[in-house]
Amino acid sequence: MCKSFFQPFAFLFVTVLAAGLSLSSCSKDNSGGNNNSATPFWKGVINSNVWEHGALLRSDGTARYFVSFTGGSMNDTANANVSKFEGTYTQVAGTDSIYINCGSALSTYRLKGITNSAKTSMSGTWIYSAGGITNTLPYAMAK
């Protein structure tokens, strides 16, 4: 009698627990916009595979820049090792030039580059400034 009395409650408890765990699981950080063709997410490397980085370029000219100096992957931008910075970008009309400017009160990231004719890859110069020091390195990204 005890087994049959508690069995429906045990099933209900397991079901509620599983639903709660699935709702609280980690997901990709889309707080800056969606990662789709209307809001392209570019990702790549700085200085020939030393650090991963990425940029979410929104149609209104704003950008979110992602960078990891500590092993974070652009496949999971919600990872604690991935830093996020807001800013703007400009694609010069009639050319292949692109300029991305993002940062915080303590550091700035400026990317000057060119895109391929299909607008699926870009490369150029990555400029990082913080604490009076500026680093300039090559970068590459693709959709």
Side-chain angles (χ1 to χ4, degrees):
M1 178 171 169
C2 289
K3 182 179 179 182
S4 63
F5 177 75
F6 289 109
Q7 195 171 18
F9 295 111
F11 177 75
L12 179 62
F13 175 75
V14 170
T15 303
V16 170
L17 181 63
L21 289 173
S22 68
L23 290 175
S24 65
S25 65
C26 295
S27 63
K28 187 168 181 71
D29 178 7
N30 281 332
S31 59
N34 295 326
N35 183 7
N36 61 32
S37 60
T39 307
F41 183 68
W42 299 75
K43 60 184 177 178
V45 293
I46 303 163
N47 198 22
S48 302
N49 295 325
V50 175
W51 302 298
E52 288 193 36
H53 70 150
L56 188 64
L57 305 179
R58 302 178 191 110
S59 60
D60 64 356
T62 62
R64 176 174 272 193
Y65 182 68
F66 303 87
V67 65
S68 178
F69 298 117
T70 57
S73 169
M74 293 305 112
N75 292 326
D76 180 12
T77 57
N79 183 307
N81 291 324
V82 177
S83 299
K84 302 158 193 72
F85 301 91
E86 292 295 323
T88 60
Y89 77 98
T90 304
Q91 286 185 290
V92 180
T95 71
D96 55 3
S97 299
I98 187 163
Y99 302 93
I100 303 170
N101 298 295
C102 296
S104 68
L106 301 175
S107 60
T108 59
Y109 296 88
R110 293 180 294 149
L111 288 78
K112 298 177 180 181
I114 58 170
T115 59
N116 66 350
S117 60
K119 306 270 190 249
T120 57
S121 67
M122 70 172 83
S123 61
T125 304
W126 175 86
I127 305 164
Y128 169 64
S129 299
I133 298 172
T134 301
N135 291 317
T136 303
L137 297 167
Y139 82 90
M141 283 197 273
K143 288 185 186 178

